[in-house]
Amino acid sequence: MAQYRATVRTSKVINQIRLEKGMSVVFMYDGGSPLSFQKGKEAINDAFIRTYGIDISKVPSMLSNITLEVTKIG
C-alpha cells in the first residue's frame, strides 16, 4: 500500500461543510489514482473524518481534482 496526502487547493463552503485551503490528510491506498476510484475517494473521506470530523462525501464535488491535490508520499 502506498501513502498519499490530499490537500485542499481552495477554501470552500458547500451545504454547511467548510474546507479551508491548506487542510491536508494522509491516507493509505493501493490502486491507481485515488480520485479516480470509489475506494480511493472513500479512503480520502475516512481520513477527513478521522482528522477533522468532516464527512465530505455528502458533497461529491469536494472529492475532485478541482478541490483536492493528491500526491503520493510513500
Side-chain angles (χ1 to χ4, degrees):
M1 284 208 154
Q3 191 174 32
Y4 289 85
R5 174 176 286 118
T7 305
V8 177
R9 292 178 190 258
T10 59
S11 298
K12 283 190 173 194
V13 178
I14 302 174
N15 294 344
Q16 298 179 346
I17 296 174
R18 172 182 226 100
L19 294 179
E20 294 292 335
K21 181 178 180 178
M23 291 172 81
S24 67
V25 294
V26 175
F27 62 97
M28 302 295 283
Y29 178 68
D30 190 23
S33 173
L35 287 172
S36 299
F37 298 97
Q38 187 60 34
K39 286 190 178 195
K41 291 178 181 182
E42 290 170 4
I44 294 168
N45 188 56
D46 290 345
F48 269 93
I49 291 171
R50 276 192 314 275
T51 306
Y52 298 107
I54 299 171
D55 184 356
I56 61 176
S57 69
K58 294 178 182 178
V59 183
S61 65
M62 287 187 171
L63 285 164
S64 71
N65 287 325
I66 295 168
T67 304
L68 300 172
E69 177 182 0
V70 178
T71 54
K72 189 173 182 179
I73 57 174

Coordinates of all heavy atoms in Angstrom, one line a residue:
M1 N 0.8 -1.2 0.0 CA 0.0 0.0 0.0 C 0.9 1.2 0.0 O 1.9 1.3 0.7 CB -0.9 0.0 1.2 CG -2.1 -0.9 1.2 SD -3.4 -0.2 2.2 CE -4.7 -0.9 1.4
A2 N 0.4 2.2 -0.7 CA 1.2 3.5 -0.8 C 0.5 4.5 0.1 O -0.7 4.5 0.4 CB 1.2 4.0 -2.2
Q3 N 1.3 5.5 0.5 CA 0.8 6.5 1.4 C 0.6 7.8 0.5 O 1.5 8.1 -0.3 CB 1.8 6.8 2.5 CG 1.3 7.7 3.6 CD 2.3 7.8 4.7 OE1 3.5 7.7 4.5 NE2 1.8 8.0 5.9
Y4 N -0.5 8.5 0.7 CA -0.8 9.7 -0.1 C -1.2 10.8 0.9 O -1.6 10.6 2.0 CB -2.1 9.4 -1.0 CG -1.8 8.5 -2.1 CD1 -1.9 7.1 -2.0 CD2 -1.5 9.0 -3.4 CE1 -1.7 6.3 -3.1 CE2 -1.3 8.1 -4.5 CZ -1.4 6.8 -4.3 OH -1.2 5.9 -5.4
R5 N -1.1 12.0 0.3 CA -1.5 13.2 1.1 C -2.5 13.9 0.1 O -2.2 14.2 -1.0 CB -0.4 14.1 1.4 CG -0.9 15.5 2.0 CD 0.3 16.4 2.4 NE 0.9 15.8 3.6 CZ 2.1 15.4 3.7 NH1 2.9 15.5 2.7 NH2 2.6 14.9 4.9
A6 N -3.7 14.3 0.7 CA -4.7 15.1 0.0 C -4.7 16.4 0.7 O -4.9 16.5 1.9 CB -6.1 14.4 0.1
T7 N -4.5 17.5 -0.1 CA -4.5 18.9 0.4 C -5.6 19.7 -0.3 O -5.7 19.6 -1.6 CB -3.1 19.5 0.1 OG1 -2.1 18.7 0.7 CG2 -3.0 20.9 0.7
V8 N -6.3 20.5 0.4 CA -7.3 21.3 -0.1 C -6.7 22.5 -0.9 O -5.8 23.2 -0.3 CB -8.3 21.9 1.0 CG1 -9.3 22.8 0.4 CG2 -8.9 20.7 1.7
R9 N -7.1 22.7 -2.2 CA -6.5 23.7 -3.0 C -7.1 25.1 -2.7 O -6.3 26.1 -2.7 CB -6.8 23.4 -4.5 CG -6.0 22.2 -5.0 CD -6.4 22.0 -6.5 NE -6.0 20.7 -7.0 CZ -4.9 20.6 -7.7 NH1 -4.2 21.6 -8.1 NH2 -4.5 19.4 -8.2
T10 N -8.4 25.2 -2.6 CA -9.1 26.5 -2.3 C -10.1 26.3 -1.3 O -10.7 25.3 -1.2 CB -9.7 27.0 -3.6 OG1 -10.7 26.0 -4.1 CG2 -8.8 27.3 -4.7
S11 N -10.3 27.4 -0.5 CA -11.4 27.3 0.5 C -12.7 27.2 -0.1 O -13.0 27.8 -1.1 CB -11.3 28.6 1.4 OG -10.0 28.6 2.1
K12 N -13.6 26.4 0.5 CA -15.0 26.2 0.0 C -15.9 26.0 1.2 O -15.5 25.4 2.2 CB -15.1 25.0 -0.9 CG -14.5 25.1 -2.2 CD -14.9 23.9 -3.1 CE -14.5 24.1 -4.5 NZ -15.1 23.2 -5.4
V13 N -17.2 26.5 1.0 CA -18.2 26.2 1.9 C -19.4 25.7 1.0 O -19.9 26.5 0.2 CB -18.7 27.4 2.8 CG1 -19.8 27.0 3.7 CG2 -17.5 27.9 3.6
I14 N -19.8 24.5 1.2 CA -20.9 23.9 0.4 C -21.8 23.1 1.4 O -21.3 22.2 2.1 CB -20.5 23.0 -0.8 CG1 -19.6 23.8 -1.7 CG2 -21.7 22.5 -1.5 CD1 -19.0 23.0 -2.8
N15 N -23.1 23.4 1.4 CA -24.0 22.7 2.3 C -23.5 22.7 3.8 O -23.5 21.6 4.4 CB -24.3 21.3 1.8 CG -25.0 21.2 0.5 OD1 -25.6 22.2 0.1 ND2 -25.0 20.1 -0.2
Q16 N -23.0 23.8 4.2 CA -22.5 23.9 5.6 C -21.3 23.1 5.9 O -20.9 22.9 7.1 CB -23.6 23.7 6.6 CG -24.8 24.6 6.5 CD -25.9 24.3 7.4 OE1 -25.9 23.3 8.1 NE2 -26.8 25.3 7.6
I17 N -20.6 22.6 4.9 CA -19.3 21.9 5.1 C -18.2 22.9 4.6 O -18.3 23.3 3.5 CB -19.3 20.6 4.3 CG1 -20.4 19.6 4.8 CG2 -17.9 20.0 4.3 CD1 -20.5 18.4 4.0
R18 N -17.3 23.1 5.5 CA -16.3 24.1 5.2 C -14.9 23.4 5.1 O -14.5 22.7 6.0 CB -16.2 25.2 6.3 CG -15.1 26.1 6.2 CD -15.0 27.1 7.4 NE -14.8 28.4 6.8 CZ -15.7 29.3 6.6 NH1 -16.9 29.1 6.9 NH2 -15.3 30.5 6.0
L19 N -14.2 23.7 4.0 CA -12.9 23.3 3.8 C -12.0 24.5 3.6 O -12.4 25.4 2.8 CB -12.7 22.4 2.5 CG -13.4 21.0 2.6 CD1 -13.2 20.3 1.2 CD2 -12.9 20.2 3.7
E20 N -10.9 24.6 4.3 CA -10.0 25.7 4.2 C -8.8 25.3 3.4 O -8.2 24.2 3.6 CB -9.6 26.2 5.6 CG -10.7 26.8 6.4 CD -11.2 28.1 5.9 OE1 -10.5 28.8 5.2 OE2 -12.4 28.4 6.2
K21 N -8.3 26.2 2.6 CA -7.1 26.0 1.8 C -5.9 25.6 2.7 O -5.7 26.2 3.8 CB -6.7 27.3 1.1 CG -5.5 27.1 0.2 CD -5.1 28.4 -0.5 CE -3.9 28.2 -1.4 NZ -3.6 29.4 -2.2
G22 N -5.3 24.5 2.3 CA -4.1 24.0 3.1 C -4.4 22.9 4.0 O -3.5 22.2 4.5
M23 N -5.7 22.6 4.3 CA -6.1 21.5 5.2 C -5.6 20.2 4.4 O -5.7 20.1 3.2 CB -7.6 21.3 5.3 CG -8.2 22.4 6.2 SD -10.0 22.3 6.1 CE -10.3 21.0 7.3
S24 N -5.0 19.3 5.2 CA -4.5 18.1 4.5 C -4.7 16.9 5.4 O -4.7 17.0 6.6 CB -3.0 18.2 4.1 OG -2.2 18.3 5.2
V25 N -4.7 15.7 4.7 CA -4.9 14.5 5.4 C -3.9 13.5 4.7 O -3.6 13.6 3.6 CB -6.3 13.9 5.4 CG1 -7.2 14.8 6.2 CG2 -6.8 13.7 4.0
V26 N -3.5 12.5 5.5 CA -2.6 11.4 5.0 C -3.4 10.1 5.1 O -4.1 9.9 6.1 CB -1.3 11.3 5.8 CG1 -0.5 10.1 5.4 CG2 -0.5 12.6 5.7
F27 N -3.3 9.3 4.0 CA -4.1 8.1 4.0 C -3.4 7.0 3.2 O -2.4 7.4 2.4 CB -5.5 8.3 3.4 CG -5.5 8.8 1.9 CD1 -5.7 7.9 0.9 CD2 -5.3 10.2 1.6 CE1 -5.7 8.4 -0.4 CE2 -5.3 10.6 0.3 CZ -5.4 9.7 -0.7
M28 N -3.7 5.8 3.4 CA -3.2 4.7 2.6 C -4.1 4.2 1.5 O -5.3 4.2 1.8 CB -2.9 3.5 3.6 CG -2.0 3.8 4.7 SD -0.3 4.3 4.3 CE 0.3 2.6 3.9
Y29 N -3.6 3.9 0.4 CA -4.4 3.5 -0.7 C -3.6 2.6 -1.7 O -2.4 2.9 -1.9 CB -5.0 4.6 -1.5 CG -5.8 4.3 -2.7 CD1 -7.0 3.6 -2.5 CD2 -5.4 4.5 -4.0 CE1 -7.8 3.2 -3.6 CE2 -6.1 4.2 -5.1 CZ -7.3 3.5 -4.9 OH -8.1 3.2 -6.0
D30 N -4.2 1.5 -2.2 CA -3.5 0.6 -3.1 C -4.3 0.6 -4.4 O -5.4 0.0 -4.4 CB -3.3 -0.8 -2.5 CG -2.4 -1.7 -3.3 OD1 -1.6 -1.1 -4.0 OD2 -2.5 -2.9 -3.2
G31 N -3.8 1.1 -5.4 CA -4.5 1.1 -6.7 C -4.0 2.3 -7.5 O -2.9 2.8 -7.3
G32 N -4.8 2.7 -8.5 CA -4.5 3.8 -9.3 C -4.7 5.1 -8.6 O -4.5 5.2 -7.4
S33 N -5.0 6.2 -9.4 CA -5.2 7.5 -8.8 C -6.4 7.5 -7.8 O -7.5 7.1 -8.2 CB -5.5 8.5 -9.9 OG -5.8 9.7 -9.4
P34 N -6.2 7.9 -6.6 CA -7.3 7.8 -5.6 C -8.5 8.5 -6.0 O -9.6 8.0 -5.7 CB -6.6 8.4 -4.3 CG -5.2 8.2 -4.5 CD -4.9 8.3 -6.0
L35 N -8.5 9.6 -6.6 CA -9.7 10.4 -7.0 C -10.4 9.8 -8.2 O -11.5 10.2 -8.5 CB -9.3 11.8 -7.3 CG -9.0 12.7 -6.0 CD1 -8.5 14.0 -6.4 CD2 -10.2 12.8 -5.1
S36 N -9.8 8.8 -8.8 CA -10.4 8.1 -10.0 C -11.2 6.9 -9.6 O -12.0 6.4 -10.4 CB -9.3 7.7 -11.0 OG -8.6 8.8 -11.5
F37 N -11.1 6.4 -8.4 CA -11.8 5.2 -8.0 C -12.6 5.4 -6.7 O -12.1 6.2 -5.8 CB -10.8 4.1 -7.8 CG -10.0 3.7 -9.1 CD1 -8.8 4.3 -9.3 CD2 -10.6 2.9 -10.0 CE1 -8.1 4.0 -10.5 CE2 -9.9 2.6 -11.2 CZ -8.7 3.1 -11.4
Q38 N -13.7 4.8 -6.6 CA -14.6 4.9 -5.4 C -13.8 4.6 -4.1 O -13.9 5.3 -3.1 CB -15.8 4.1 -5.5 CG -16.8 4.3 -4.4 CD -17.3 5.7 -4.4 OE1 -17.4 6.4 -5.4 NE2 -17.6 6.2 -3.2
K39 N -13.0 3.5 -4.1 CA -12.3 3.1 -2.9 C -11.3 4.2 -2.5 O -11.0 4.4 -1.3 CB -11.6 1.8 -3.1 CG -12.6 0.6 -3.0 CD -11.9 -0.7 -2.9 CE -12.9 -1.8 -2.8 NZ -12.4 -3.0 -2.4
G40 N -10.7 4.8 -3.4 CA -9.8 5.9 -3.2 C -10.5 7.1 -2.5 O -10.0 7.7 -1.6
K41 N -11.6 7.5 -3.1 CA -12.4 8.6 -2.5 C -12.9 8.2 -1.1 O -12.9 9.1 -0.2 CB -13.6 8.8 -3.4 CG -13.3 9.5 -4.7 CD -14.5 9.7 -5.6 CE -14.0 10.3 -6.9 NZ -15.2 10.6 -7.8
E42 N -13.2 7.0 -0.9 CA -13.6 6.5 0.5 C -12.5 6.7 1.5 O -12.6 7.1 2.6 CB -14.1 5.1 0.5 CG -15.5 5.0 -0.2 CD -15.9 3.5 -0.4 OE1 -15.2 2.6 0.0 OE2 -16.9 3.3 -1.1
A43 N -11.2 6.3 1.0 CA -10.1 6.5 1.9 C -9.8 7.9 2.2 O -9.5 8.2 3.4 CB -8.8 5.8 1.2
I44 N -10.0 8.8 1.2 CA -9.8 10.2 1.5 C -10.8 10.7 2.5 O -10.5 11.4 3.4 CB -9.8 11.1 0.2 CG1 -8.7 10.7 -0.7 CG2 -9.9 12.6 0.5 CD1 -8.8 11.2 -2.1
N45 N -12.1 10.4 2.2 CA -13.2 10.8 3.1 C -13.0 10.3 4.5 O -13.1 11.0 5.5 CB -14.5 10.3 2.6 CG -15.7 10.9 3.4 OD1 -15.8 12.1 3.5 ND2 -16.5 10.1 3.9
D46 N -12.6 9.0 4.7 CA -12.3 8.4 6.0 C -11.2 9.2 6.7 O -11.3 9.5 7.9 CB -11.9 7.0 5.9 CG -13.1 6.1 5.5 OD1 -14.2 6.5 5.6 OD2 -12.8 4.9 5.1
A47 N -10.2 9.7 6.0 CA -9.1 10.4 6.6 C -9.6 11.8 7.0 O -9.2 12.3 8.1 CB -7.9 10.6 5.6
F48 N -10.5 12.4 6.3 CA -11.0 13.7 6.7 C -11.9 13.6 7.9 O -11.9 14.4 8.8 CB -11.8 14.4 5.6 CG -11.0 15.3 4.7 CD1 -10.4 14.9 3.6 CD2 -10.8 16.6 5.1 CE1 -9.6 15.7 2.8 CE2 -10.0 17.5 4.3 CZ -9.4 17.0 3.2
I49 N -12.6 12.5 8.0 CA -13.5 12.2 9.2 C -12.6 12.0 10.4 O -12.8 12.6 11.5 CB -14.4 11.0 9.0 CG1 -15.5 11.4 7.9 CG2 -15.0 10.6 10.3 CD1 -16.3 10.2 7.5
R50 N -11.5 11.2 10.3 CA -10.6 11.0 11.4 C -9.9 12.2 11.9 O -9.7 12.5 13.0 CB -9.5 9.9 11.0 CG -9.9 8.5 11.1 CD -8.7 7.6 11.0 NE -7.8 7.9 9.9 CZ -7.9 7.5 8.6 NH1 -9.0 6.7 8.3 NH2 -7.1 7.8 7.7
T51 N -9.4 13.0 10.9 CA -8.6 14.2 11.2 C -9.4 15.4 11.6 O -9.1 16.1 12.6 CB -7.7 14.5 10.0 OG1 -7.0 13.4 9.6 CG2 -6.8 15.6 10.4
Y52 N -10.5 15.7 10.9 CA -11.2 16.9 11.1 C -12.7 16.7 11.6 O -13.4 17.7 11.9 CB -11.2 17.8 9.9 CG -9.9 18.2 9.4 CD1 -9.3 17.6 8.3 CD2 -9.1 19.2 10.1 CE1 -8.0 18.0 7.9 CE2 -7.9 19.6 9.7 CZ -7.3 19.0 8.6 OH -6.1 19.4 8.2
G53 N -13.2 15.5 11.5 CA -14.6 15.3 11.8 C -15.5 15.8 10.7 O -16.7 16.0 11.0
I54 N -15.0 15.9 9.5 CA -15.8 16.4 8.4 C -16.1 15.2 7.4 O -15.1 14.6 6.9 CB -15.0 17.5 7.6 CG1 -14.7 18.6 8.6 CG2 -15.8 17.9 6.4 CD1 -13.8 19.7 7.9
D55 N -17.4 15.0 7.1 CA -17.7 14.0 6.1 C -17.9 14.7 4.8 O -19.0 15.2 4.5 CB -19.0 13.3 6.6 CG -19.4 12.1 5.7 OD1 -18.7 11.9 4.6 OD2 -20.4 11.4 6.0
I56 N -16.9 14.7 4.0 CA -17.0 15.4 2.7 C -17.7 14.6 1.6 O -18.0 15.1 0.5 CB -15.6 15.9 2.2 CG1 -14.7 14.8 1.9 CG2 -15.1 16.9 3.1 CD1 -13.3 15.2 1.3
S57 N -18.0 13.3 1.9 CA -18.8 12.5 0.9 C -20.2 13.0 0.7 O -20.8 12.7 -0.3 CB -18.8 11.1 1.3 OG -19.6 10.9 2.5
K58 N -20.7 13.9 1.6 CA -22.0 14.4 1.5 C -22.1 15.5 0.3 O -23.1 15.8 -0.1 CB -22.5 15.1 2.8 CG -22.7 14.0 3.9 CD -23.0 14.7 5.2 CE -23.2 13.6 6.3 NZ -23.5 14.3 7.6
V59 N -20.9 15.9 -0.1 CA -20.8 16.9 -1.2 C -19.8 16.3 -2.2 O -18.6 16.6 -2.1 CB -20.3 18.3 -0.7 CG1 -20.3 19.3 -1.9 CG2 -21.2 18.8 0.4
P60 N -20.3 15.4 -3.1 CA -19.4 14.7 -4.0 C -18.4 15.7 -4.8 O -17.3 15.2 -5.1 CB -20.3 14.0 -5.0 CG -21.6 13.9 -4.2 CD -21.7 15.1 -3.3
S61 N -18.8 16.9 -5.1 CA -17.9 17.8 -5.8 C -16.7 18.1 -5.1 O -15.7 18.6 -5.6 CB -18.7 19.1 -6.2 OG -19.0 19.8 -5.1
M62 N -16.7 17.9 -3.7 CA -15.5 18.2 -2.9 C -14.4 17.1 -3.1 O -13.2 17.3 -2.9 CB -15.8 18.3 -1.5 CG -16.5 19.6 -1.1 SD -16.7 19.8 0.6 CE -17.3 21.5 0.7
L63 N -14.8 15.9 -3.6 CA -13.9 14.8 -3.8 C -13.5 14.9 -5.3 O -13.8 14.0 -6.1 CB -14.5 13.5 -3.5 CG -14.6 13.2 -2.0 CD1 -15.5 12.1 -1.7 CD2 -13.2 12.9 -1.4
S64 N -12.8 15.9 -5.7 CA -12.4 16.1 -7.1 C -11.0 16.7 -7.2 O -10.5 17.3 -6.2 CB -13.4 17.0 -7.8 OG -13.3 18.3 -7.4
N65 N -10.4 16.6 -8.4 CA -9.1 17.3 -8.6 C -9.2 18.8 -8.5 O -8.2 19.4 -8.3 CB -8.6 16.9 -10.0 CG -8.1 15.5 -10.0 OD1 -7.6 14.9 -9.1 ND2 -8.3 14.8 -11.2
I66 N -10.4 19.4 -8.7 CA -10.5 20.8 -8.6 C -10.3 21.3 -7.1 O -9.7 22.3 -6.8 CB -11.9 21.2 -9.1 CG1 -12.0 20.9 -10.6 CG2 -12.1 22.7 -8.8 CD1 -13.3 21.1 -11.2
T67 N -10.9 20.5 -6.2 CA -10.8 20.8 -4.8 C -9.6 20.3 -4.1 O -9.0 21.0 -3.2 CB -12.1 20.3 -4.0 OG1 -13.2 20.8 -4.7 CG2 -12.1 20.7 -2.6
L68 N -9.1 19.1 -4.4 CA -8.0 18.4 -3.7 C -6.9 18.2 -4.6 O -7.0 17.8 -5.8 CB -8.5 17.1 -3.2 CG -9.7 17.1 -2.2 CD1 -10.1 15.7 -1.9 CD2 -9.3 17.8 -0.9
E69 N -5.7 18.4 -4.1 CA -4.4 18.0 -4.7 C -3.9 16.7 -4.0 O -3.7 16.7 -2.8 CB -3.4 19.0 -4.6 CG -2.1 18.7 -5.2 CD -1.0 19.7 -5.1 OE1 -1.3 20.8 -4.5 OE2 0.1 19.5 -5.6
V70 N -3.8 15.6 -4.7 CA -3.4 14.3 -4.1 C -2.0 14.0 -4.6 O -1.8 14.0 -5.8 CB -4.4 13.2 -4.5 CG1 -3.9 11.9 -3.9 CG2 -5.8 13.5 -3.9
T71 N -1.1 13.8 -3.7 CA 0.3 13.4 -4.0 C 0.7 12.2 -3.3 O 0.3 11.9 -2.1 CB 1.3 14.5 -3.7 OG1 1.1 14.9 -2.3 CG2 1.0 15.8 -4.5
K72 N 1.5 11.3 -4.0 CA 2.0 10.1 -3.4 C 3.2 10.5 -2.5 O 4.1 11.2 -3.0 CB 2.4 9.1 -4.4 CG 2.7 7.8 -3.9 CD 2.9 6.8 -5.1 CE 3.2 5.4 -4.7 NZ 3.4 4.5 -5.8
I73 N 3.2 10.1 -1.3 CA 4.4 10.4 -0.4 C 5.2 9.2 0.1 O 6.2 9.4 0.8 CB 3.9 11.3 0.8 CG1 2.8 10.5 1.6 CG2 3.4 12.6 0.4 CD1 2.5 11.3 2.9
G74 N 4.7 8.0 -0.3 CA 5.5 6.9 0.2 C 5.2 5.6 -0.6 O 4.3 5.6 -1.4

